[in-house]
Amino acid sequence: SRGSFKLSYYNEYKSYLRMSLSGKICLVTGASRGIGRGIALALGSEGATVYITGRTLDPVSTAPGSLKVTAEEIEGRGGKAIPVKCDHGVDSEVHALFDRIKKDQGKLDLLVNNALKGVSTIGKYAATPFWEAPIESWDDVIHVGLRCHYVAAIEAAKIMTPQQSGLIVNISSAGALFNFFTVLYVVGKAGVDRMAEMAGLQLKKHNVTFISLWPGLVQTEYIVSKKDTIEKAEVRGIKMDVSKGETVEFAGRAIAALLKDPNVHKKTGKTITTADLGVEYGFTDVDDKLSVAQMMIACDVNEFL
């Protein structure tokens, strides 16, 4: 029956999830904290060697997390972490990063573009008309965000195209489609989605996959610290409940599944949600919960079966 076929399809993908990522060389940008940290932890837990970048190498009192702390967590889970202090707003530092990876490893299997400088800027001007916000906010949100993703993608493609393999993932959000937060947030996220679409088409003949990934509401340190404010507001008429959000590692589980999938190239150029991938590959969050969006999708799938 159609239902039994669908179930065997899921079981087939679950066998891929049992594979180790040992030997895989990964780079996660912006991994001192937040989603980047969670992605790096999930990949490290699977045995990958993970280069992690950010501007905060050592712990500081002014912000949670650091590259060294993330690295220690990865090592504690059996992975290998290589922390590299890198300002992704400085092209020369990005070039040096990729030169180091190529020299040390001879390959790159995965790039996760996550670095974003403008989180506080987005929050600060969320209720401000764009013409009243300082023009410098463009640099905060777009320069270390959309532009630095493009620069890193170029460097990754130079390594991946000759090896005829590789996966690039841009971390995006539903803000690419809906009017969330600020004009610049929407512009930046729409840009990274279209980047993945066009670049993915160009990379397809080289067997390199480029995907844009939408997590849901994620329990980052920043979101948790702003919980009361967030839950008082509405996004497109919907009340947010931070306690029901995804953990920072859920996106990492999605990316790990993509990296293991031998047919991932079929997804190149697409924008995909973490919830969709959770249903397709059969994984849940670290607390064994489905995200709210994932539960809705699962219900639809069950009705179809």
Side-chain angles (χ1 to χ4, degrees), residues 57-276:
L57 183 61
D58 296 292
V60 294
S61 59
T62 54
S66 72
L67 293 176
K68 285 187 176 179
V69 170
T70 301
E72 289 173 1
E73 291 180 279
I74 292 171
E75 298 279 352
R77 296 189 184 194
K80 181 178 180 181
I82 304 174
V84 181
K85 185 175 182 179
C86 178
D87 185 340
H88 283 270
V90 180
D91 290 352
S92 60
E93 294 189 20
V94 178
H95 298 324
L97 167 67
F98 281 89
D99 285 345
R100 175 179 174 179
I101 293 172
K102 185 176 181 180
K103 179 181 178 181
D104 292 351
Q105 307 295 339
K107 69 168 187 171
L108 178 63
D109 297 298
L110 170 69
L111 164 66
V112 179
N113 275 322
N114 173 70
L116 179 64
K117 179 182 177 183
V119 174
S120 60
T121 298
I122 292 164
K124 184 176 181 180
Y125 297 109
T128 303
F130 77 91
W131 61 90
E132 294 180 8
I135 191 62
E136 291 77 16
S137 59
W138 172 276
D139 296 325
D140 286 346
V141 179
I142 302 298
H143 188 75
V144 182
L146 177 59
R147 185 184 184 278
C148 82
H149 290 2
Y150 184 67
V151 173
I154 290 172
E155 295 298 319
K158 289 177 181 178
I159 299 174
M160 292 176 174
T161 52
Q163 70 189 25
Q164 289 289 297
S165 66
L167 171 63
I168 302 173
V169 179
N170 281 349
I171 299 302
S172 184
S173 87
L177 184 62
F178 303 109
N179 296 326
F180 288 175
F181 310 127
T182 69
V183 170
L184 292 180
Y185 182 80
V186 171
V187 169
K189 295 306 182 184
V192 299
D193 284 0
R194 292 308 304 274
M195 184 198 309
E197 180 180 1
M198 184 66 179
L201 291 175
Q202 294 185 1
L203 289 167
K204 189 173 184 179
K205 65 181 179 181
H206 300 284
N207 200 38
V208 176
T209 303
F210 202 145
I211 292 168
S212 198
L213 184 65
W214 287 7
L217 176 65
V218 182
Q219 298 168 350
T220 65
E221 297 91 342
Y222 180 81
I223 292 295
V224 171
S225 72
K226 301 293 182 181
K227 178 179 183 293
D228 292 342
T229 301
I230 291 170
E231 293 185 346
K232 288 177 183 176
E234 293 185 355
V235 178
R236 296 184 63 81
I238 300 173
K239 286 282 189 180
M240 297 289 102
D241 185 344
V242 173
S243 68
K244 293 182 179 179
E246 300 171 6
T247 72
V248 292
E249 294 189 46
F250 189 64
R253 291 188 169 192
I255 293 169
L258 288 168
L259 190 55
K260 295 175 183 180
D261 185 353
N263 295 309
V264 69
H265 61 276
K266 294 180 180 179
K267 292 180 169 63
T268 196
K270 294 184 178 181
T271 295
I272 309 171
T273 69
T274 53
D276 283 328

